Amino acid sequence: MSSDPLAFEWLSKEDLVSGTKLIDVDFPDLISKKCNMIENTSQLRSMLGPLELPEKANGTYLRSQHYCAIGCDLRDLVKLEELLACELNGSQSLILCTAEVSVTYMNFEAADALIRWAAAHYDEIQFCLLEQYLPAGAEHPFARKMIQHFKNLQTPLRSVHKYPQLIDQEQRFRQSGWPSAIARSLWDIWTDPEIVTLQQKLKLNAVEPFDEWEEFVLFASHYFVLIATKTSDQNRPLLIDSQIQQTGSTLEHQHHTRRSDSTLRSETIPTNRRRRFGALSALSKDVLAHHGGLGPQTRLDDSDFYGFPGSQIPPIESNPEARMCHTISATSPGTSLLVGGRASPARALNDCWILGEQARRVHNLPIALYRHCATHVAFTEAGQHQSGVLVFGGKTGENLTSKHWFLWRQALGWTQLDSSRCNMKPRFGASLASTEVGQGFLIGGMDVYGDILSEVWEWSILDFEEGLGILAVQVNIIPEFPLPVGRHSNSPSSTYSITARMGACLISSSLGLLLVGGVSARPMVRELDIIRLTKLSRDGDGKLTLKCTPLHIQTDSSRLLLVGHSVLSLHSSVAIIGGGAVCFSFGTYWNEAMTILSTPTERQVSLVLLTNKPSQLALPNNYGEEHFSKEKAVPDTPSTVKEVRISSGKEFKRIVDHGFPVIIRRSRLGTCTTTWTLETLQAKIGDDREVVVHETTDPHLDFQNKNFRYVKKPLKVFVDEIARGSRQYLRSLASDKPSEKPADFWSDFSQLSSDFELPAEFDMVKKNMHSSVFRISGPVAMWLHYDVMANVLCQIHGSKTIQLYPPSDIMLFSIPPGDSSSSINCFDPAPSDTPSLASAHAYEALLEPGDVLFIPALWLHTALPKDMISISINAFFRDLDAGYAPGRDLYGNRDVQAYEKGRRDIEKIIKSFAKLPSAMAKFYLERLAGELKDGAGKYSRNEG
């Protein structure tokens, strides 16, 4: 890519570049942009020393002692060989070729030809390849998200389909003239202490609290590094896994007779709810509550309720603080204990709550914990039957990992159990379940070094002389039959891939003891998502052996991403609700359905999402007021824009009257949210349709300083350029008389008009609409500005971050009189801008397809695509009965009539003091300014 900084990272280290030349090869247009960037950036140019600028038509764009930039299509091997011959002596050079997610965009025939050519033309050469692969197949949710992301950018991944597994990639190179080719996933490299030492991992933990382990595992398991050399395997590089010998053989799925008791039926019930790392509880025999967790925007303090049709939601009056990574365990029918969790990764919580018809706070944990595991447990003490909640492990607010066992009893609160007889590592993200009185199992988890553990432990609560204690003995695991971990995997079939999980759910149910989901040290094929554990035997020392049986799930639905999910046993079934993960930069995958597992002969359990109480649908009366409380300092980080769900125009009218931005999630905007991509828009609108775009080389558009130019170009050219990362932005204009009429999406883009609609709840917008604007943005931030008319911003494709500031912050942003935009880049402010931003009351919204953001009039806002491409439509509407400036207002940002008249009056007032002495004029003008300020105070929010 033209912006790849790898060469300059090397150039910054003199010991690496001594006697070395770095040759950058890319498409001519991209290398040209890179060279322009280098020439115009003093920091980059100074790293190169004296520059030579050859004739670009020859293909070499820039040359210095240690760096050379070549523009060449890598498919033109004759031209490539000719250009490289001018820069290096192949017979006397040691050559390292690096390709970082680049040749995968080429069709595989051309990419393979390049790999063969490199091996054939140079003797002392190594090839280092970083690319994606499909360890668990193309249907894995992360893989689907990844493949679709690059397809949407019109840069589809081609190699992954031809060479989906590591051994496929190795054979690709070996068959192309490379005697040695070794590939390992980034996760394998991370877990190899010879490459990343334990001390280095601990140092990373010390940088800042980190709690996105599942996302890291998924990413690192879908990317690999391959080292290919022309030398024999005797001098293998450090990259080689000493525990995995490459034999070139493949592991194919073995066909076995599937027993009927290893088959479960799955019913998928759409919910359109997005919640992960929450916790499930049974409020009654008919109603489940999925509490807390992380929503699309922020941590949640509410619940989604599920039950049989007609079930009533209990009137819960108070909710614990918003949190995620907590546990909820049953204590008695209809009541449960909520334990700990976290706000930010640096803020673990120790509060505990009894949940039922009321939420009631009870005894605090001895230490704050999140990512612990918990289970209801019955046990015996002094001959008396008792029950409580057992908790093990987890992370603390100090970013430490706990090794303690705690027992909660309603009358006594928390007791730390004697764990001197437990020889197990501290861990978090483990799975815990009770299966008999005082006994159960603990599986997996992650240790302090970020390694996923595979052990299975049988634990028992025992009544020792000194008090209650815990005994844990490691269990033997035998798979029912050998299991491959993936087609053409390099890893040997083993139980390690079956039980080495973190973030899984272990549940004792009528279907058996089930281990559900989680992420694994070896990516799991779908057959391993859910396994059943059953007892086989005990040896003479009482050590237990368990059998692992992968369960076949009868379903027509896509594979779930079983991360951050919640599981609960109900009646003769098991419910799986919620979950999902951020899939690197490709967007977030959500499980927006409830899955009910049962035996094939069992009658299906028909649960539905129950309607929330009206108080949970409406906007809180004090929303926003706490942000401006005089007793509170300005927050260090932006506050999160409130999410609401509305079902009527009256509710939207209330939002407008309240005057604060809100996000209406999962709005029904038509087919556009699922069908629009750059490709489909081109096909519908036409390649030759001309559009006027803002084009810049800066990461931030600045309307004040005009760091962009307006360019008219065919839609196809615009789409192709932003797909390659060009910083451009389309704000549609009226197709007929654009200098006289505001934009009207439905008439300006009639080919798309049937794809997009505003739901009935936005009837106020439709009736009072000023304009509707179609927007397509590449990777560039919009300038900070305000609009005089309110608007709703509908996100169609991609995701983007919006930062907003209330009208009361207007003086902090150096907006000239009569203008409506600022030059400050709120996403990456210059040092001189920091003081004003530190005093601002920032709000932030992350929009995903189907989300609608209400932006009140005069609220300053700026936008930055989170993905490479963002497509949206916003509708401006009049929410004042009178007062808008008369005449033409194409963009909805012309200031109101009273302000325009006031500015003219001020100009006259200033002139009226011209004949007075300067000091006297200044004296009275400052008095008038004070009177104006006092007058403004009468309109403050607090005074109505």
Side-chain angles (χ1 to χ4, degrees):
M1 293 180 64
S2 62
S3 57
D4 188 351
L6 179 61
F8 288 88
E9 292 176 12
W10 285 348
L11 285 166
S12 66
K13 300 176 175 62
E14 293 184 7
D15 57 328
L16 283 181
V17 297
S18 178
T20 300
K21 191 160 194 173
L22 304 171
I23 302 177
D24 226 340
V25 184
D26 212 328
F27 287 108
D29 58 338
L30 296 181
I31 211 72
S32 177
K33 290 181 180 179
K34 185 169 190 174
C35 290
N36 288 336
M37 189 184 304
I38 293 170
E39 291 177 51
N40 295 316
T41 306
S42 58
Q43 295 95 326
L44 296 178
R45 185 167 182 143
S46 64
M47 296 173 68
L48 298 181
L51 288 182
E52 179 186 344
L53 302 175
E55 183 63 42
K56 294 181 179 179
N58 296 330
T60 301
Y61 284 64
L62 185 150
R63 183 185 292 121
S64 72
Q65 180 183 2
H66 294 297
Y67 179 77
C68 177
I70 290 177
C72 180
D73 186 334
L74 292 176
R75 293 170 295 188
D76 188 347
L77 297 178
V78 174
K79 180 70 171 177
L80 178 63
E81 184 175 351
E82 176 187 323
L83 290 169
L84 290 178
C86 299
E87 305 300 331
L88 57 86
N89 185 334
S91 63
Q92 299 181 11
S93 302
L94 299 175
I95 301 171
L96 171 64
C97 298
T98 64
E100 183 179 348
V101 192
S102 54
V103 297
T104 188
Y105 301 134
M106 303 167 63
N107 66 65
F108 64 83
E109 294 91 349
D112 289 351
L114 175 66
I115 293 168
R116 288 193 299 270
W117 171 86
H121 281 75
Y122 303 102
D123 294 326
E124 298 294 333
I125 187 169
Q126 293 189 5
F127 204 117
C128 180
L129 180 70
L130 170 65
E131 276 187 10
Q132 304 89 342
Y133 77 117
L134 306 177
E139 292 307 307
H140 188 281
F142 185 99
R144 294 208 313 270
K145 199 78 175 178
M146 176 176 72
I147 292 168
Q148 187 61 46
H149 171 80
F150 287 100
K151 185 178 179 181
N152 291 345
L153 296 179
Q154 297 188 319
T155 55
L157 302 177
R158 304 182 190 277
S159 296
V160 293
H161 301 291
K162 177 71 173 176
Y163 307 108
Q165 302 296 327
L166 297 184
I167 199 161
D168 298 327
Q169 287 284 359
E170 292 180 348
Q171 291 177 347
R172 174 193 195 185
F173 274 78
R174 288 174 180 152
Q175 292 169 3
S176 297
W178 301 84
S180 172
I182 306 297
R184 288 183 69 185
S185 75
L186 296 188
W187 179 253
D188 270 338
I189 294 171
W190 163 261
T191 56
D192 189 336
E194 293 186 28
I195 300 176
V196 184
T197 67
L198 301 182
Q199 290 72 24
Q200 287 174 322
K201 291 181 178 182
L202 291 178
K203 286 181 181 179
L204 288 174
N205 282 338
V207 173
E208 66 176 23
F210 178 76
D211 194 34
E212 286 74 40
W213 282 106
E214 287 90 348
E215 282 93 344
F216 177 50
V217 174
L218 289 169
F219 158 73
S221 298
H222 282 80
Y223 279 74
F224 71 92
V225 172
L226 179 144
I227 297 289
T229 68
K230 295 288 291 293
T231 58
S232 68
D233 286 359
Q234 292 178 352
N235 299 315
R236 290 182 173 182
L238 183 62
L239 186 65
I240 296 172
D241 187 344
S242 59
Q243 297 178 354
I244 302 176
Q245 297 300 318
Q246 310 296 329
T247 64
S249 64
T250 63
L251 289 168
E252 300 291 349
H253 283 291
Q254 301 180 38
H255 297 284
H256 301 270
T257 302
R258 191 179 301 279
R259 288 169 32 184
S260 60
D261 62 356
S262 66
T263 297
L264 296 180
R265 182 174 56 178
S266 169
E267 179 186 13
T268 301
I269 305 167
T271 64
N272 295 320
R273 290 293 186 262
R274 294 180 173 184
R275 189 185 297 263
R276 51 197 176 99
F277 297 104
L280 269 175
S281 64
L283 295 184
S284 68
K285 63 182 179 62
D286 297 328
V287 177
L288 309 181
H290 191 203
H291 173 269
L294 185 64
Q297 186 79 15
T298 187
R299 290 175 293 275
L300 306 172
D301 64 356
D302 63 357
S303 299
D304 291 322
F305 300 96
Y306 302 86
F308 297 104
S311 299
Q312 296 298 310
I313 302 173
I316 301 174
E317 295 301 328
S318 59
N319 279 325
E321 174 186 352
R323 68 191 64 213
M324 58 187 290
C325 301
H326 53 299
T327 58
I328 299 180
S329 306
T331 56
S332 61
T335 62
S336 303
L337 180 70
L338 182 153
V339 177
R342 71 167 175 84
S344 70
R347 185 166 165 252
L349 303 173
N350 70 342
D351 56 328
C352 301
W353 297 72
I354 286 289
L355 303 180
E357 292 192 358
Q358 301 291 330
R360 176 172 55 87
R361 188 163 179 174
V362 292
H363 322 82
N364 286 348
L365 273 166
I367 57 174
L369 288 176
Y370 65 94
R371 283 193 178 272
H372 51 283
C373 50
T375 184
H376 172 266
V377 61
F379 60 97
T380 302
E381 182 181 23
Q384 300 294 316
H385 294 289
Q386 298 194 39
S387 66
V389 173
L390 182 67
V391 168
F392 171 72
K395 302 187 77 173
T396 75
E398 293 78 31
N399 204 27
L400 300 174
T401 303
S402 171
K403 62 179 181 180
H404 300 304
W405 293 81
F406 297 106
L407 177 66
W408 179 86
R409 287 168 285 184
Q410 189 157 0
L412 301 176
W414 290 100
T415 303
Q416 182 174 335
L417 300 182
D418 176 8
S419 57
S420 59
R421 299 166 182 83
C422 288
N423 186 26
M424 67 170 65
K425 292 181 179 179
R427 67 194 66 203
F428 60 92
S431 308
L432 183 71
S434 175
T435 54
E436 300 177 43
V437 173
Q439 290 185 323
F441 296 96
L442 182 142
I443 298 179
M446 179 173 277
D447 67 14
V448 69
Y449 300 110
D451 290 330
I452 296 177
L453 304 171
S454 60
E455 311 137 3
V456 178
W457 296 81
E458 183 182 26
W459 54 264
S460 304
I461 296 177
L462 300 177
D463 190 3
F464 300 113
E465 289 185 6
E466 59 272 25
L468 290 178
I470 198 90
L471 174 68
V473 178
Q474 198 165 345
V475 172
N476 294 320
I477 292 293
I478 297 178
E480 187 172 14
F481 52 81
L483 290 165
V485 293
R487 187 175 68 84
H488 295 181
S489 169
N490 284 336
S491 303
S493 176
S494 70
T495 59
Y496 179 67
S497 62
I498 298 175
T499 59
R501 306 184 185 203
M502 67 95 58
C505 295
L506 184 64
I507 183 165
S508 181
S509 71
S510 62
L511 304 178
L513 181 62
L514 304 184
L515 184 63
V516 182
V519 293
S520 172
R522 295 286 182 267
M524 297 182 294
V525 292
R526 186 170 188 168
E527 289 86 343
L528 297 181
D529 272 350
I530 304 173
I531 63 174
R532 180 187 288 135
L533 301 164
T534 50
K535 294 181 179 180
L536 276 183
S537 61
R538 290 188 185 274
D539 62 18
D541 296 325
K543 188 173 183 178
L544 180 67
T545 295
L546 291 178
K547 178 179 67 175
C548 290
T549 304
L551 298 182
H552 171 63
I553 309 299
Q554 295 177 342
T555 180
D556 295 327
S557 301
S558 300
R559 184 178 179 181
L560 297 173
L561 184 52
L562 292 174
V563 168
H565 57 296
S566 300
V567 178
L568 194 70
S569 175
L570 43 103
H571 308 292
S572 56
S573 305
V574 169
I576 305 173
I577 299 177
V582 175
C583 299
F584 191 39
S585 60
F586 315 135
T588 304
Y589 187 97
W590 297 93
N591 298 327
E592 296 184 73
M594 170 172 48
T595 299
I596 306 296
L597 301 177
S598 60
T599 63
T601 58
E602 188 70 31
R603 188 171 67 87
Q604 290 282 18
V605 176
S606 299
L607 295 181
V608 296
L609 177 69
L610 302 176
T611 303
N612 283 341
K613 300 176 293 180
S615 61
Q616 291 180 307
L617 295 172
L619 189 68
N621 288 323
N622 65 343
Y623 171 46
E625 292 177 6
E626 73 282 359
H627 199 97
F628 299 97
S629 172
K630 295 178 180 178
E631 289 75 25
K632 292 188 177 181
V634 175
D636 294 331
T637 57
S639 294
T640 300
V641 173
K642 186 74 175 179
E643 299 177 20
V644 298
R645 295 189 286 270
I646 62 174
S647 58
S648 69
K650 288 183 179 180
E651 291 181 342
F652 180 71
K653 178 65 165 59
R654 183 188 167 198
I655 287 171
V656 173
D657 292 342
H658 196 75
F660 268 79
V662 299
I663 301 172
I664 299 100
R665 295 286 186 199
R666 297 181 290 278
S667 298
R668 302 179 304 279
L669 301 177
T671 60
C672 56
T673 55
T674 56
T675 61
W676 281 9
T677 64
L678 293 180
E679 292 172 329
T680 58
L681 292 182
Q682 268 186 259
K684 290 193 172 192
I685 300 172
D687 289 346
D688 299 330
R689 169 76 177 266
E690 289 199 326
V691 292
V692 177
V693 302
H694 303 70
E695 187 175 83
T696 184
T697 58
D698 294 337
H700 165 244
L701 291 169
D702 183 349
F703 190 81
Q704 288 290 332
N705 295 314
K706 296 294 191 296
N707 67 339
F708 59 86
R709 60 193 184 109
Y710 295 104
V711 183
K712 180 182 283 189
K713 58 182 65 177
L715 179 68
K716 175 176 172 48
V717 174
F718 166 65
V719 165
D720 288 347
E721 289 175 346
I722 63 171
R724 294 200 298 266
S726 179
R727 293 182 172 122
Q728 299 183 45
Y729 165 67
L730 165 65
R731 190 254 190 228
S732 69
L733 304 173
S735 56
D736 179 34
K737 299 180 180 179
S739 61
E740 299 179 18
K741 297 180 180 180
D744 179 352
F745 165 77
W746 285 276
S747 62
D748 298 334
F749 294 91
S750 57
Q751 310 94 325
L752 307 174
S753 59
S754 62
D755 297 345
F756 171 75
E757 62 182 5
L758 284 172
E761 298 91 322
F762 298 98
D763 194 49
M764 178 182 181
V765 178
K766 300 177 190 177
K767 290 180 179 178
N768 300 281
M769 190 175 296
H770 165 270
S771 58
S772 49
V773 182
F774 183 45
R775 302 178 188 269
I776 303 178
S777 178
V780 63
M782 180 64 172
W783 58 78
L784 180 71
H785 68 286
Y786 68 82
D787 298 301
V788 178
M789 293 186 190
N791 77 89
V792 289
L793 176 59
C794 308
Q795 188 66 15
I796 309 297
H797 174 83
S799 60
K800 65 181 173 186
T801 301
I802 312 289
Q803 281 207 6
L804 306 100
Y805 301 87
S808 56
D809 285 349
I810 185 69
M811 303 307 293
L812 300 175
F813 294 102
S814 305
I815 297 177
D819 285 341
S820 59
S821 67
S822 169
S823 293
I824 294 177
N825 180 2
C826 300
F827 295 107
D828 187 17
S832 59
D833 299 326
T834 303
S836 64
L837 284 180
S839 302
H841 302 80
Y843 280 77
E844 188 167 275
L846 174 61
L847 300 185
E848 297 187 339
D851 293 341
V852 176
L853 173 66
F854 167 64
I855 305 177
L858 305 184
W859 274 71
L860 295 105
H861 52 282
T862 177
L864 177 66
K866 203 167 189 298
D867 300 326
M868 286 279 288
I869 306 295
S870 170
I871 302 173
S872 58
I873 295 173
N874 65 329
F876 293 88
F877 64 100
R878 300 174 180 87
D879 60 334
L880 298 179
D881 295 330
Y884 292 112
R888 188 180 304 161
D889 181 7
L890 298 178
Y891 303 106
N893 62 354
R894 183 177 170 184
D895 286 308
V896 296
Q897 183 178 9
Y899 177 72
E900 290 187 350
K901 181 179 182 301
R903 289 193 65 228
R904 293 193 296 269
D905 292 341
I906 286 174
E907 188 176 350
K908 293 177 183 178
I909 291 170
I910 294 172
K911 287 181 180 179
S912 71
F913 285 90
K915 295 180 181 181
L916 293 176
S918 297
M920 183 175 288
K922 181 174 183 291
F923 173 82
Y924 283 109
L925 284 171
E926 287 181 345
R927 288 204 67 189
L928 286 172
E931 292 174 36
L932 281 172
K933 190 172 183 180
D934 290 342
K938 295 178 181 179
Y939 295 96
S940 69
R941 174 175 297 274
N942 290 335
E943 295 180 22

